[in-house]
C-alpha cells in the first residue's frame, strides 16, 4: 500500500472518532436508506494493508479526495467518507469485503456524471474511484477490446480510432464508458451496431460479497447487466465487440432557428425521420437554449445533423432543414474521433466541466413528437428564463437517434426495455445553487417539461432511460414490463440480497 503524500492517517482517524457515535453493529447495510446519525469506525490502516502497493486512499480535505469526489452535478450528490483508488480487481474486491465487514456503504465512481437522486442515499460511504482502471487493449484478431472499468469515452474512442477501429461509444468524451453502457449506452453508431450493451462479450465483475466473476452469455446475470448493471456489481474490465472504421469522416451541420419555426421543425422531423425512416447513418440532436449572440431575449432551437461517410449531408436531408429558414447554418467535416468538438461534447466543452452547478433532468423516451406540445415547451422555456434568469443556462436536449441496429437485437435478450423508442428527451436544467427557492423553481420547470412531453404522447405510461433518469421514476418506467422487473428482482435477491448496489436506480 502506497500512502500518498496527501494521506494523513492521524487526522483521518481523529475525524472518524468524533463521528463514531455508536458501535458498528448498530448501523449498516440492512438499512442503507436510513439517515443514521452514527457511523462505523473504520480501521483505515487495516484497509491499506489489504490493498496492493500502488492503491491509494484519500482522506477528506486532501487534493485527491477533492478531485475524486468532484461531480458533474452538485444536486443530490452522495456523501463520501473515504476515497479508495484501486489498481486492480483484487483491490476492488478487498475494499468491498472490508466495507461489508465494517458495515460501511460503498459506491463505485468514475467521472461523477451520474445524476440520479438515489445516489444521495449513499451517506458517508467508501467511494471506490475507478480512475486508475483505464486501459484499452485491442485483441489480436481486432474483433474485441478489453476496456478498464474506469475508461473514459474519449480514451476508448481515440485509442480504437488510431487503430482503425471503433466501438459503440457515446457523444460525450468525459463520460465513463462502463457507467453509460451498464444502463444501455446510446451512441451515434447505434443505427449500425446497436447499443453499447449489445457489444458486451464478457464482464469481469466484483459482486456484492466481494467475489470476482466473469459474466458472459453463459451467466444468468449477463441479461441483467445489459441495462440494469449498476445494481449488480462493479465491472473492473469489459470485453466489447469492436468494428472496423468504414468511413473516416462525418458531415456535420448545425441549423439554428428562431422560436417561430417550432411547429415546422417538429413536423418535419415527424415527416422525415420517424424510426422506420431515419437512415442508420444519420443522427440528429435538438436543443432549445438561450444563445445570446443570436438572440439575447428568446431561446433558439438548434438542430444538429450528422451523417457518416459524407463530406456534406445528403441533399435530401439538408433540404428538409434549409427549407425551414434557419437563422444560421454551420457546416463541418469531422473525423469520428473529433466529432465531439462540434457536438460540444469534448473534454473542454461546457457539458464536461464540473464546476458546482446543479443539473437535473426529468427525461422521457418517445416515438413521435406532438407538435403542439413542442410549442408548449418552447413557451414554457421562454417564460421560465424570463421569470427566473438564473435558469437561463438550461437546455431542452433531444437525442433523435437511428434504431436499425438497436431493433435488430431481440428486446428480451437484455434488461434494457426501450428498443422501440428513438427519441430521448433529456431536458437539462442547469443553475448555480442559490438556496431552496431557486431549487423549487428549477424543479417546477423540470417536472413541468416532463408533464408536457408525457401528455403529448397520449399514453398512460411514461418511459425513461435510466442514465438520464431523475430518480423519482417507477420501476416500470425505467425497466419496463412486469416480467422484466420480476426477473430483475429475483436476480437481485440472489446476487445482492442486502441491497449493497442500491444507489443507482435500485431494484427494490
Ligand atoms: C454530458 C453528458 C453526456 C452524456 N452522454 C451520454 C451518451 O452519449 N450516451 C449515454 O448512453 N449516456 C450519456 N450520458 C448519461 C450517462 O450514461 C450517465 O450520466 C452515466 O451515469 C455516466 O457514467 P459515469 O461512469 O461517467 O459517471 P459516474 O457518476 O462515475 O457513475 C455513474 C454510475 O455508474 C456506476 N459505474 C460507473 N462505472 C462503473 C463500473 N465500471 N462498474 C459498475 N458500475 C459503474 C457508478 O457506481 C454510478 O452508479 C451523458 C451524461 C452527461 C452528463
Ligand atoms: C440526517 O440526520 C441529521 C441529524 O439528525 C440531520 O442533521 C440531517 O439534516 C439529516 N439529513 C437528511 C438528508 O435527512
Ligand atoms: C442569464 O442569467 C444571469 C443571471 O442569473 C444573467 O447575469 C445573464 O445576463 C443572463 N443571460 C442572458 C443572456 O440573459
Amino acid at each position: 500500500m502506497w500512502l500518498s503524500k496527501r494521506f494523513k492517517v492521524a487526522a483521518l482517524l481523529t475525524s472518524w472518532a468524533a463521528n463514531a457515535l455508536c458501535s458498528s453493529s448498530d448501523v449498516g447495510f440492512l438499512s442503507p436508506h436510513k439517515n443514521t446519525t452514527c457511523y462505523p469506525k473504520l480501521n483505515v490502516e487495516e484497509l491499506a494493508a489489504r490493498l496492493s502497493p500502488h492503491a491509494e486512499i484519500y482522506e477528506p480535505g486532501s487534493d485527491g479526495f477533492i478531485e475524486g469526489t468532484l461531480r458533474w452535478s452538485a444536486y443530490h450528490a452522495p456523501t463520501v467518507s473515504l476515497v479508495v483508488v484501486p489498481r486492480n480487481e483484487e483491490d476492488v474486491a478487498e475494499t468491498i469485503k472490508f466495507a461489508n465487514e465494517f458495515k460501511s456503504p460503498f459506491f463505485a465512481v468514475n467521472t461523477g456524471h451520474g445524476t440520479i437522486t438515489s445516489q444521495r442515499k449513499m451517506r458517508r460511504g467508501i467511494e471506490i474511484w475507478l480512475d486508475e482502471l483505464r486501459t484499452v487493449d485491442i485483441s489480436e484478431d481486432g474483433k474485441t477490446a478489453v476496456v478498464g472499468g474506469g475508461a473514459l469515452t474519449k480514451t476508448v474512442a481515440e485509442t480504437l480510432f488510431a487503430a482503425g477501429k471503433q466501438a459503440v461509444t457515446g457523444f460525450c468524451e468525459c463520460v465513463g464508458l462502463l457507467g453509460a453502457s451498464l444502463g444501455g449506452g446510446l451512441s451515434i453508431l447505434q443505427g449500425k451496431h446497436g447499443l453499447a450493451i449489445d457489444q458486451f462479450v464478457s464482464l469481469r465483475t466484483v459482486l456484492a460479497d466481494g467475489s470476482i466473476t466473469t459474466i458472459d452469455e453463459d451467466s444468468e446475470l449477463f441479461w441483467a447487466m445489459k441495462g440494469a448493471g449498476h445494481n449488480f456489481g462493479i465491472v473492473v474490465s469489459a470485453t466489447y465487440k469492436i468494428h472496423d472504421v468504414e468511413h473516416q469522416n462525418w458531415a456535420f451541420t448545425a441549423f439554428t432557428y428562431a422560436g417561430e419555426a417550432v411547429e415546422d421543425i417538429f413536423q418535419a422531423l415527424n415527416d422525415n425521420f420517424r424510426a422506420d425512416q431515419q437512415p442508420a447513418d444519420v443522427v440528429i440532436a435538438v436543443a432549445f437554449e438561450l444563445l445570446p449572440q443570436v438572440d439575447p431575449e428568446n431561446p433558439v432551437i438548434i438542430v444538429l445533423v450528422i451523417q457518416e461517410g459524407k463530406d456534406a449531408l445528403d441533399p435530401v436531408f439538408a433540404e428538409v432543414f434549409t427549407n425551414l429558414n434557419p437563422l444560421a447554418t454551420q457546416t463541418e467535416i469531422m473525423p469520428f474521433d473529433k466529432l465531439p468538438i462540434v457536438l460540444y461534447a469534448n473534454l473542454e466543452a461546457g457539458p464536461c466541466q464540473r464546476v458546482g452547478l446543479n443539473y437535473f433532468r426529468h427525461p422521457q423516451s418517445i416515438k413521435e413528437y406532438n407538435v403542439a406540445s413542442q410549442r408548449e415547451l418552447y413557451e414554457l422555456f421562454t417564460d421560465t428564463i424570463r421569470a427566473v434568469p438564473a435558469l437561463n443556462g438550461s437546455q431542452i436536449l433531444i437525442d433523435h437517434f437511428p434504431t436499425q441496429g438497436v431493433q435488430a437485437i431481440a428486446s428480451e435478450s437484455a434488461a434494457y426495455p426501450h428498443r422501440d423508442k428513438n427519441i430521448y428527451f433529456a431536458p437539462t436544467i442547469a443553475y448555480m445553487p442559490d438556496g431552496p427557492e431557486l431549487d423549487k423553481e428549477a424543479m417546477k420547470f423540470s417536472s413541468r417539461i416532463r408533464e408536457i412531453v408525457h401528455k403529448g404522447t397520449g399514453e398512460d405510461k411514461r418511459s425513461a432511460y435510466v442514465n438520464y433518469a431523475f430518480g423519482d421514476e417507477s420501476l416500470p418506467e425505467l425497466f419496463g414490463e412486469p416480467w422484466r422487473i420480476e426477473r430483475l428482482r429475483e436476480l437481485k435477491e440472489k446476487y445482492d440480497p442486502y441491497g449493497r448496489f442500491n444507489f443507482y436506480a435500485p431494484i427494490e
Side-chain angles (χ1 to χ4, degrees):
M1 172 70 208
W2 177 72
L3 292 181
S4 109
K5 277 184 264 144
R6 297 178 282 235
F7 179 69
K8 301 178 209 94
V9 177
L12 179 65
L13 293 180
T14 318
S15 67
W16 249 304
N19 286 313
L21 302 174
C22 55
S23 77
S24 61
S25 61
D26 298 338
V27 290
F29 252 134
L30 293 172
S31 55
H33 309 319
K34 220 166 70 186
N35 178 8
T36 43
T37 50
C38 54
Y39 301 99
K41 198 170 182 172
L42 296 174
N43 186 337
V44 178
E45 282 160 333
E46 187 187 327
L47 172 59
R50 294 193 198 180
L51 302 181
S52 68
H54 293 290
E56 291 174 44
I57 297 179
Y58 293 124
E59 64 165 318
S62 66
D63 292 351
F65 185 93
I66 292 165
E67 206 193 322
T69 54
L70 258 186
R71 302 191 62 81
W72 182 61
S73 172
Y75 189 77
H76 277 207
T79 61
V80 175
S81 289
L82 188 67
V83 173
V84 175
V85 186
R87 286 285 177 157
N88 55 39
E89 60 187 32
E90 286 82 19
D91 288 339
V92 176
E94 284 305 318
T95 306
I96 291 182
K97 287 182 196 160
F98 175 87
N100 290 345
E101 264 172 55
F102 291 92
K103 297 183 163 54
S104 166
F106 61 85
F107 184 56
V109 172
N110 184 9
T111 74
H113 275 77
T115 44
I116 194 162
T117 54
S118 51
Q119 296 177 139
R120 177 67 177 158
K121 292 177 183 161
M122 171 154 127
R123 306 196 57 75
R124 302 182 61 88
I126 299 176
E127 171 179 318
I128 301 176
W129 187 24
L130 304 173
D131 197 46
E132 292 290 346
L133 304 177
R134 287 193 172 189
T135 46
V136 181
D137 293 309
I138 301 172
S139 67
E140 242 160 68
D141 66 7
K143 295 203 161 82
T144 58
V146 180
V147 172
L152 294 187
T153 296
K154 180 186 174 74
T155 318
V156 178
E158 285 187 352
T159 309
L160 296 182
F161 199 72
K165 302 282 175 187
Q166 54 194 180
V168 173
T169 48
F171 254 9
C172 210
E173 288 189 341
C174 52
V175 167
L177 185 59
L178 259 304
S181 299
L182 292 169
L186 306 179
S187 166
I188 59 176
L189 293 178
Q190 69 181 45
K192 281 167 73 175
H193 302 304
L195 300 164
I197 46 174
D198 302 327
Q199 320 306 313
F200 284 168
V201 177
S202 65
L203 304 168
R204 190 80 179 150
T205 306
V206 186
L207 299 176
D209 60 0
S211 59
I212 306 174
T213 184
T214 299
I215 300 173
D216 61 17
E217 61 181 354
D218 297 326
S219 326
E220 60 178 349
L221 267 185
F222 200 46
W223 176 87
M225 296 304 280
K226 296 196 251 178
H230 311 94
N231 264 280
F232 293 96
I234 297 179
V235 176
V236 283
S237 69
T239 306
Y240 281 83
K241 286 179 207 154
I242 58 173
H243 308 276
D244 291 330
V245 173
E246 275 177 67
H247 307 281
Q248 292 284 315
N249 286 342
W250 290 62
F252 163 92
T253 306
F255 302 91
T256 302
Y257 301 95
E260 298 90 80
V262 168
E263 284 83 0
D264 292 343
I265 294 168
F266 291 97
Q267 192 59 54
L269 287 169
N270 277 345
D271 291 345
N272 298 281
F273 297 97
R274 280 200 326 263
D276 56 352
Q277 290 172 317
Q278 181 164 351
D281 61 353
V282 173
V283 177
I284 300 170
V286 183
F288 293 39
E289 65 181 62
L290 188 62
L291 201 62
Q293 62 271 37
V294 177
D295 184 339
E297 307 264 301
N298 304 292
V300 294
I301 298 124
I302 304 174
V303 181
L304 304 179
V305 188
I306 56 177
Q307 187 173 15
E308 185 175 1
K310 306 282 171 167
D311 292 340
L313 295 184
D314 280 349
V316 54
F317 305 128
E319 238 166 60
V320 170
F321 298 104
T322 36
N323 285 349
L324 308 176
N325 300 320
L327 298 171
T329 304
Q330 177 200 352
T331 298
E332 313 273 354
I333 307 167
M334 299 301 278
F336 177 75
D337 66 327
K338 298 284 180 289
L339 261 181
I341 297 172
V342 286
L343 297 172
Y344 309 105
N346 57 323
L347 279 191
E348 292 72 31
C352 280
Q353 309 314 311
R354 298 180 296 177
V355 291
L357 292 176
N358 278 357
Y359 285 104
F360 50 76
R361 329 177 178 86
H362 283 89
Q364 203 143 187
S365 314
I366 65 168
K367 291 193 262 193
E368 194 184 357
Y369 299 101
N370 179 317
V371 172
S373 306
Q374 296 301 112
R375 163 59 59 194
E376 227 182 307
L377 285 180
Y378 182 83
E379 300 304 330
L380 172 71
F381 196 104
T382 310
D383 295 347
T384 303
I385 62 176
R386 284 216 179 115
V388 192
L391 301 178
N392 68 16
S394 305
Q395 293 173 304
I396 299 181
L397 298 173
I398 308 167
D399 299 340
H400 188 132
F401 282 8
T403 52
Q404 289 82 345
V406 180
Q407 294 187 352
I409 311 254
S411 176
E412 316 83 74
S413 71
Y416 182 83
H418 310 299
R419 285 181 197 268
D420 58 331
K421 309 293 192 309
N422 59 320
I423 301 169
Y424 298 83
F425 268 84
T428 307
I429 311 306
Y431 62 99
M432 194 49 87
D434 191 20
E437 254 329 286
L438 182 56
D439 288 342
K440 226 169 84 192
E441 289 295 338
M443 191 61 58
K444 206 171 85 189
F445 180 30
S446 191
S447 44
R448 181 72 191 127
I449 295 172
R450 176 167 68 185
E451 259 170 50
I452 293 171
V453 179
H454 176 225
K455 198 180 76 206
T457 64
E459 288 171 13
D460 296 340
K461 289 185 188 138
R462 295 189 309 213
S463 160
Y465 175 39
V466 67
N467 280 338
Y468 293 165
F470 179 78
D472 64 348
E473 292 84 355
S474 66
L475 286 181
E477 267 176 272
L478 299 174
F479 297 116
E481 305 93 303
W483 72 267
R484 290 180 196 273
I485 292 164
E486 210 171 295
R487 187 159 169 195
L488 286 171
R489 283 207 171 109
E490 278 165 22
L491 291 166
K492 187 76 174 172
E493 184 58 38
K494 182 163 169 189
Y495 289 96
D496 186 19
Y498 301 114
R500 286 165 181 163
F501 291 110
N502 266 7
F503 300 118
Y504 195 94
I507 292 154
E508 299 179 283

